[in-house]
Amino acid sequence: MNLSKLSHAELFSHLYIEEEVKDTPLAKETAKKFSKSKIILIKHYKDIFNRPNQDFGVQCKSKNLILAKKDAPFLYKGSFYSDGFEFENFFYTPLVLGCLYDCQYCYLSGMYNSANSVLFVNTQDFFQALSPFLKKPTLVAISYDTDTLAVESLASLTKQWIIYAKNQPNLHLEVRTKSANFNAIKSLTSSDSIVLAWTLSPQQIIDLYEHKTPSLKSRLNSIKQAIDSNWQVRICIDPIIYNEDFYSLYPSLIDEIFDTIDADKLFELTLGSFRMSSTHLKNIKKLKRSDLAFYPYDVNNNIVSYGKTKEQHILNIMLQKTMQYLPKSRIRTWQLQS
Amino acid sequence: MLYFIIAHSAEAQPVIQHFKMQRVYKFSYTMFEADNVRLIICNTGIDNAMMATSVLLAHYIPTSNDLLINIGICGAPGEIGTMLLVHKITHNHHSCFPDILFKHDLQEISLKTVDTPCVSRSDNAVDMEAYGIYKAASRFFKAHQMVFLKIISDNFQPESITKEATKRLISSKIAIIQNTINQALSIFNKDDILSSQEIESIKNIAKKLTKAQNDALLDACRYYKLHYKKPLPQIDIQPFIAKTTKQQRSAYLNELIQTLTR
Ligand code: SF4
């Protein structure tokens, strides 16, 4: 959701707050920001978030926010479905569960019962859990099952992590986002161990499948600002959605990107075609809301994809096109077989 | 279909009149029906509420298009006659949470379901059935399909409530009740992407396919409708009948799926 475009009152009709955290500064501040929301005290976030009889699809029409305290574990090993960038330690942290955006291909809709978001208020506990690992180079994706920068105006989580990472030489962060919210961290100085990663799609794909996300143009503007402020920016064209317009939409996306952004200043660009666990896809089908759920994918080892041939074809076309602007060494296509 | 679960006849009567329901003799409960509406009188108390709700819903098995509504009077602080919409129901130390995802102008509250009439002042609204209804109904309904409406009848002086006053209170709110139902239904998603005729036409083909093949065909049809935003083209069953071997049928099915998802 483009938080900046929406007034707070339009966002959450209900705020569920764990009794234990109701007096924390963040809970108080959030309640003040969402003064029109109904506040409902709860014992544990799972009483709301994990209820079995929720309808993800209907809840997407009116997402609510849950404020809670996270108990251990605070770190999870990076997933097989994503790029770990060859770090020995690769973790993701669930700072937020759920996402304010509503991408039709998002595995969260197949993973969670709830379309609501849980925001954990105890950021310090996450730092503490991480510190024993920081003897070795460690990558932490802080926006993994969510879009942290999209909710920056709520809790400044990205800001807190960037500040923390500055004093931890072995800590590398990836902040992945579809937001156009660079302004929220603009005041911070850039760092070589932090990568801001923007996921981009052609505007037509955004309109079709990335509901409530900012436009391509506004994401590109945010990227440009970040690059101009010397941040390392990775552009992720992932997932690439294959349809009859693929050949016109995606190569011209590359042109559009490099019309706005100086290729020399881009850290790297990642390409990935759509894939997902078949269990998640099965759950997404039940929502009956997106054609993407019903495409006749190939299934291999519990992963659905366009199949090896089509996948390699998609990635090769995109690789060739991107190489018009970037050297191959700065293009990541970890699904592509050489 | 609307399912009303109401504790007392006096509370139910205005609803029965509004929906022009007729008495039906199905179970050992007082029940009323009209087109697309059913109402059961569950009587006082959490166990009665749970039992009546289970009996009704286990018999009719609601769909994802249906809505359950509990209407009743309650003791609460506040002005008599105020209509309340419940977002949390607590009984002893357990709570449940109906999802209120639709827009409304009603006052929302946490409701406490108690086991005996509440005569001492409480910060919460109290009733004697809602928790039991939610618990039993949540096996059949999603959290957004259950609406709990309460009207303040007294400020914890239950002895002051008469049947006539109860009827008057509910009658005076019937337009708001109807409006709330309309709002609650307005956010429901469609049941299936395929129309019943389309499903019927595919069923004829399904006889010639395995379960997995049939699922794949249904998925391709759903893809077509969502992607192209047009009705499904007529699918010709003849080739499925004409192709006699499994391999031939399977090859034709793959062709069909490719055409639909191209
Ligand atoms: S932005 Fe990412 S996490 Fe959020 S809905 Fe989209 S794909 Fe899912």
Side-chain angles (χ1 to χ4, degrees), chain A residues 122-153:
Chain A
N122 50 327
T123 315
Q124 291 303 323
D125 291 338
F126 288 83
F127 295 151
Q128 228 162 58
L130 181 62
S131 73
F133 296 97
L134 295 179
K135 290 178 192 92
K136 283 185 194 164
T138 299
L139 172 67
V140 180
I142 63 163
S143 196
Y144 194 81
D145 281 345
T146 185
D147 193 315
T148 322
L149 204 51
V151 290
E152 196 61 14
S153 69

Side-chain angles (χ1 to χ4, degrees), chain A residues 13-14 16 38 40-43 47-48 51 53-55 57-59 61-62 64 209 243-244 285 288 290-291 294-296, chain B residues 87-88 93 97 99-101 108 134 138 141-144 146 187-189 191-193 219 222-223 226-228 257 261-262:
Chain A
S13 63
H14 296 79
Y16 297 93
K38 317 280 179 324
I40 304 173
L41 291 181
I42 55 172
K43 270 196 211 134
D47 296 343
I48 292 294
R51 281 173 297 166
N53 61 332
Q54 300 176 82
D55 189 311
V58 178
Q59 283 181 343
K61 296 176 188 174
S62 174
N64 288 319
Y209 303 120
N243 65 17
E244 66 278 17
K285 274 185 191 179
K288 295 182 184 145
S290 173
D291 57 348
F294 299 104
Y295 189 83
Chain B
H87 57 216
K88 175 179 177 181
H93 296 293
F97 304 88
D99 260 345
I100 301 172
L101 305 174
E108 283 190 29
Y134 188 99
S138 58
F141 285 104
K142 300 247 165 113
H144 71 281
M146 295 182 272
I187 56 147
F188 282 27
N189 283 335
D191 211 15
D192 200 339
I193 300 146
D219 278 359
R222 291 187 180 114
Y223 178 90
L226 286 166
H227 187 77
Y228 295 106
I257 288 175
T261 58
R262 205 175 359 235

Side-chain angles (χ1 to χ4, degrees), chain A residues 99-103 105-108 144-147 178 213:
Chain A
C99 184
L100 296 193
Y101 297 146
D102 183 19
C103 303
Y105 53 72
C106 180
Y107 62 90
L108 296 183
Y144 194 81
D145 281 345
T146 185
D147 193 315
K178 284 191 179 101
T213 64

